[in-house]
Amino acid sequence: MQDLMILKLLLQPLVENALYHGIKFKRGGGTIRVEGRLEDDHMVFRVTDTGKGMPP
């Protein structure tokens, strides 16, 4: 495994958005998941939540 560095506040807006728009008003709470992986020379992040979702 390789140690990589990231700016502290890079993911904060993404997680905050998932919290506010995804699960803030969901009954029983919810889950926010942050995943990261290295693709070639790029760090790729995915933030998902168990909220109600968005219209298409």
Side-chain angles (χ1 to χ4, degrees), residues 3-33:
D3 289 337
L4 300 171
M5 299 179 97
I6 183 172
L7 294 173
K8 286 183 177 181
L9 295 178
L10 185 65
L11 293 176
Q12 185 270 336
L14 300 174
V15 173
E16 185 176 309
N17 189 60
L19 175 64
Y20 185 79
H21 296 288
I23 62 173
K24 181 179 179 181
F25 299 109
K26 184 177 182 205
R27 282 187 117 168
T31 301
I32 296 174
R33 182 178 183 149

